PDB file of all heavy atoms in Angstrom:
ATOM      1  N   LEU A 118     204.861  10.077 -11.600  1.00  0.00           N
ATOM      2  CA  LEU A 118     205.510   8.767 -11.682  1.00  0.00           C
ATOM      3  C   LEU A 118     204.546   7.603 -11.448  1.00  0.00           C
ATOM      4  O   LEU A 118     204.587   6.596 -12.169  1.00  0.00           O
ATOM      5  CB  LEU A 118     206.626   8.664 -10.628  1.00  0.00           C
ATOM      6  CG  LEU A 118     207.965   9.370 -10.925  1.00  0.00           C
ATOM      7  CD1 LEU A 118     208.938   9.230  -9.784  1.00  0.00           C
ATOM      8  CD2 LEU A 118     208.561   8.867 -12.198  1.00  0.00           C
ATOM      9  N   PHE A 119     203.659   7.821 -10.477  1.00  0.00           N
ATOM     10  CA  PHE A 119     202.678   6.731 -10.228  1.00  0.00           C
ATOM     11  C   PHE A 119     201.744   6.576 -11.406  1.00  0.00           C
ATOM     12  O   PHE A 119     201.383   5.422 -11.812  1.00  0.00           O
ATOM     13  CB  PHE A 119     201.848   7.046  -9.003  1.00  0.00           C
ATOM     14  CG  PHE A 119     200.973   5.919  -8.525  1.00  0.00           C
ATOM     15  CD1 PHE A 119     201.551   4.808  -7.911  1.00  0.00           C
ATOM     16  CD2 PHE A 119     199.603   5.991  -8.791  1.00  0.00           C
ATOM     17  CE1 PHE A 119     200.693   3.777  -7.497  1.00  0.00           C
ATOM     18  CE2 PHE A 119     198.785   4.962  -8.354  1.00  0.00           C
ATOM     19  CZ  PHE A 119     199.305   3.810  -7.743  1.00  0.00           C
ATOM     20  N   SER A 120     201.321   7.623 -12.095  1.00  0.00           N
ATOM     21  CA  SER A 120     200.418   7.517 -13.221  1.00  0.00           C
ATOM     22  C   SER A 120     201.156   6.785 -14.397  1.00  0.00           C
ATOM     23  O   SER A 120     200.557   6.082 -15.169  1.00  0.00           O
ATOM     24  CB  SER A 120     199.934   8.869 -13.683  1.00  0.00           C
ATOM     25  OG  SER A 120     200.979   9.623 -14.302  1.00  0.00           O
ATOM     26  N   GLN A 121     202.461   7.038 -14.536  1.00  0.00           N
ATOM     27  CA  GLN A 121     203.218   6.358 -15.592  1.00  0.00           C
ATOM     28  C   GLN A 121     203.386   4.868 -15.353  1.00  0.00           C
ATOM     29  O   GLN A 121     203.623   4.112 -16.285  1.00  0.00           O
ATOM     30  CB  GLN A 121     204.621   7.003 -15.763  1.00  0.00           C
ATOM     31  CG  GLN A 121     204.555   8.409 -16.247  1.00  0.00           C
ATOM     32  CD  GLN A 121     203.721   8.599 -17.502  1.00  0.00           C
ATOM     33  OE1 GLN A 121     203.971   7.877 -18.498  1.00  0.00           O
ATOM     34  NE2 GLN A 121     202.794   9.493 -17.486  1.00  0.00           N
ATOM     35  N   ALA A 122     203.278   4.440 -14.129  1.00  0.00           N
ATOM     36  CA  ALA A 122     203.330   3.025 -13.783  1.00  0.00           C
ATOM     37  C   ALA A 122     201.954   2.308 -14.013  1.00  0.00           C
ATOM     38  O   ALA A 122     201.874   1.140 -13.742  1.00  0.00           O
ATOM     39  CB  ALA A 122     203.809   2.799 -12.363  1.00  0.00           C
ATOM     40  N   GLY A 123     201.000   3.035 -14.502  1.00  0.00           N
ATOM     41  CA  GLY A 123     199.728   2.424 -14.751  1.00  0.00           C
ATOM     42  C   GLY A 123     198.635   2.658 -13.692  1.00  0.00           C
ATOM     43  O   GLY A 123     197.605   2.063 -13.732  1.00  0.00           O
ATOM     44  N   GLY A 124     198.918   3.500 -12.699  1.00  0.00           N
ATOM     45  CA  GLY A 124     197.941   3.822 -11.738  1.00  0.00           C
ATOM     46  C   GLY A 124     196.814   4.634 -12.239  1.00  0.00           C
ATOM     47  O   GLY A 124     196.960   5.407 -13.221  1.00  0.00           O
ATOM     48  N   SER A 125     195.657   4.501 -11.654  1.00  0.00           N
ATOM     49  CA  SER A 125     194.488   5.261 -12.168  1.00  0.00           C
ATOM     50  C   SER A 125     194.689   6.717 -11.820  1.00  0.00           C
ATOM     51  O   SER A 125     195.506   7.139 -11.028  1.00  0.00           O
ATOM     52  CB  SER A 125     193.152   4.736 -11.485  1.00  0.00           C
ATOM     53  OG  SER A 125     193.144   5.107 -10.124  1.00  0.00           O
ATOM     54  N   VAL A 126     193.867   7.558 -12.488  1.00  0.00           N
ATOM     55  CA  VAL A 126     193.969   9.009 -12.314  1.00  0.00           C
ATOM     56  C   VAL A 126     193.590   9.331 -10.870  1.00  0.00           C
ATOM     57  O   VAL A 126     194.227  10.183 -10.244  1.00  0.00           O
ATOM     58  CB  VAL A 126     193.028   9.715 -13.288  1.00  0.00           C
ATOM     59  CG1 VAL A 126     192.940  11.191 -12.976  1.00  0.00           C
ATOM     60  CG2 VAL A 126     193.475   9.513 -14.726  1.00  0.00           C
ATOM     61  N   TYR A 127     192.585   8.662 -10.325  1.00  0.00           N
ATOM     62  CA  TYR A 127     192.189   8.928  -8.959  1.00  0.00           C
ATOM     63  C   TYR A 127     193.250   8.576  -7.921  1.00  0.00           C
ATOM     64  O   TYR A 127     193.527   9.299  -7.030  1.00  0.00           O
ATOM     65  CB  TYR A 127     190.889   8.204  -8.619  1.00  0.00           C
ATOM     66  CG  TYR A 127     189.713   8.690  -9.522  1.00  0.00           C
ATOM     67  CD1 TYR A 127     189.066   7.807 -10.330  1.00  0.00           C
ATOM     68  CD2 TYR A 127     189.323   9.988  -9.468  1.00  0.00           C
ATOM     69  CE1 TYR A 127     187.997   8.227 -11.159  1.00  0.00           C
ATOM     70  CE2 TYR A 127     188.258  10.439 -10.266  1.00  0.00           C
ATOM     71  CZ  TYR A 127     187.661   9.567 -11.095  1.00  0.00           C
ATOM     72  OH  TYR A 127     186.583  10.014 -11.904  1.00  0.00           O
ATOM     73  N   ARG A 128     193.828   7.372  -8.108  1.00  0.00           N
ATOM     74  CA  ARG A 128     194.876   6.962  -7.176  1.00  0.00           C
ATOM     75  C   ARG A 128     196.161   7.844  -7.331  1.00  0.00           C
ATOM     76  O   ARG A 128     196.801   8.189  -6.365  1.00  0.00           O
ATOM     77  CB  ARG A 128     195.256   5.514  -7.379  1.00  0.00           C
ATOM     78  CG  ARG A 128     194.145   4.566  -6.933  1.00  0.00           C
ATOM     79  CD  ARG A 128     194.501   3.178  -7.012  1.00  0.00           C
ATOM     80  NE  ARG A 128     195.434   2.842  -5.971  1.00  0.00           N
ATOM     81  CZ  ARG A 128     196.172   1.749  -5.922  1.00  0.00           C
ATOM     82  NH1 ARG A 128     196.002   0.819  -6.843  1.00  0.00           N
ATOM     83  NH2 ARG A 128     197.051   1.565  -4.986  1.00  0.00           N
ATOM     84  N   SER A 129     196.472   8.226  -8.558  1.00  0.00           N
ATOM     85  CA  SER A 129     197.658   9.125  -8.765  1.00  0.00           C
ATOM     86  C   SER A 129     197.396  10.488  -8.078  1.00  0.00           C
ATOM     87  O   SER A 129     198.262  11.014  -7.478  1.00  0.00           O
ATOM     88  CB  SER A 129     197.869   9.304 -10.237  1.00  0.00           C
ATOM     89  OG  SER A 129     198.173   8.083 -10.899  1.00  0.00           O
ATOM     90  N   THR A 130     196.138  10.977  -8.257  1.00  0.00           N
ATOM     91  CA  THR A 130     195.807  12.299  -7.658  1.00  0.00           C
ATOM     92  C   THR A 130     195.875  12.152  -6.152  1.00  0.00           C
ATOM     93  O   THR A 130     196.402  13.086  -5.442  1.00  0.00           O
ATOM     94  CB  THR A 130     194.426  12.743  -8.135  1.00  0.00           C
ATOM     95  OG1 THR A 130     194.428  12.807  -9.543  1.00  0.00           O
ATOM     96  CG2 THR A 130     194.087  14.074  -7.552  1.00  0.00           C
ATOM     97  N   ALA A 131     195.273  11.091  -5.583  1.00  0.00           N
ATOM     98  CA  ALA A 131     195.229  10.935  -4.155  1.00  0.00           C
ATOM     99  C   ALA A 131     196.662  10.812  -3.613  1.00  0.00           C
ATOM    100  O   ALA A 131     196.973  11.411  -2.555  1.00  0.00           O
ATOM    101  CB  ALA A 131     194.408   9.734  -3.745  1.00  0.00           C
ATOM    102  N   LEU A 132     197.524  10.038  -4.231  1.00  0.00           N
ATOM    103  CA  LEU A 132     198.891   9.906  -3.803  1.00  0.00           C
ATOM    104  C   LEU A 132     199.628  11.204  -3.874  1.00  0.00           C
ATOM    105  O   LEU A 132     200.349  11.609  -2.962  1.00  0.00           O
ATOM    106  CB  LEU A 132     199.614   8.821  -4.634  1.00  0.00           C
ATOM    107  CG  LEU A 132     201.068   8.536  -4.249  1.00  0.00           C
ATOM    108  CD1 LEU A 132     201.203   8.073  -2.834  1.00  0.00           C
ATOM    109  CD2 LEU A 132     201.710   7.652  -5.207  1.00  0.00           C
ATOM    110  N   GLY A 133     199.475  11.925  -4.983  1.00  0.00           N
ATOM    111  CA  GLY A 133     200.098  13.202  -5.128  1.00  0.00           C
ATOM    112  C   GLY A 133     199.664  14.222  -4.098  1.00  0.00           C
ATOM    113  O   GLY A 133     200.487  14.969  -3.530  1.00  0.00           O
ATOM    114  N   LEU A 134     198.380  14.280  -3.847  1.00  0.00           N
ATOM    115  CA  LEU A 134     197.862  15.178  -2.792  1.00  0.00           C
ATOM    116  C   LEU A 134     198.403  14.815  -1.374  1.00  0.00           C
ATOM    117  O   LEU A 134     198.710  15.677  -0.568  1.00  0.00           O
ATOM    118  CB  LEU A 134     196.333  15.208  -2.783  1.00  0.00           C
ATOM    119  CG  LEU A 134     195.702  15.958  -3.933  1.00  0.00           C
ATOM    120  CD1 LEU A 134     194.175  15.777  -3.961  1.00  0.00           C
ATOM    121  CD2 LEU A 134     196.085  17.429  -3.945  1.00  0.00           C
ATOM    122  N   GLY A 135     198.458  13.519  -1.120  1.00  0.00           N
ATOM    123  CA  GLY A 135     198.999  13.041   0.159  1.00  0.00           C
ATOM    124  C   GLY A 135     200.435  13.442   0.329  1.00  0.00           C
ATOM    125  O   GLY A 135     200.869  13.969   1.359  1.00  0.00           O
ATOM    126  N   VAL A 136     201.202  13.229  -0.700  1.00  0.00           N
ATOM    127  CA  VAL A 136     202.650  13.590  -0.667  1.00  0.00           C
ATOM    128  C   VAL A 136     202.830  15.112  -0.557  1.00  0.00           C
ATOM    129  O   VAL A 136     203.633  15.603   0.218  1.00  0.00           O
ATOM    130  CB  VAL A 136     203.412  13.046  -1.901  1.00  0.00           C
ATOM    131  CG1 VAL A 136     204.791  13.634  -2.046  1.00  0.00           C
ATOM    132  CG2 VAL A 136     203.474  11.501  -1.862  1.00  0.00           C
ATOM    133  N   ALA A 137     202.027  15.823  -1.321  1.00  0.00           N
ATOM    134  CA  ALA A 137     202.099  17.299  -1.269  1.00  0.00           C
ATOM    135  C   ALA A 137     201.732  17.842   0.127  1.00  0.00           C
ATOM    136  O   ALA A 137     202.434  18.725   0.636  1.00  0.00           O
ATOM    137  CB  ALA A 137     201.086  17.911  -2.298  1.00  0.00           C
TER     138      ALA A 137
END
Side-chain angles (χ1 to χ4, degrees):
L118 280 180
F119 188 76
S120 72
Q121 294 307 308
S125 72
V126 172
Y127 297 118
R128 290 185 70 191
S129 299
T130 303
L132 180 63
L134 288 173
V136 168

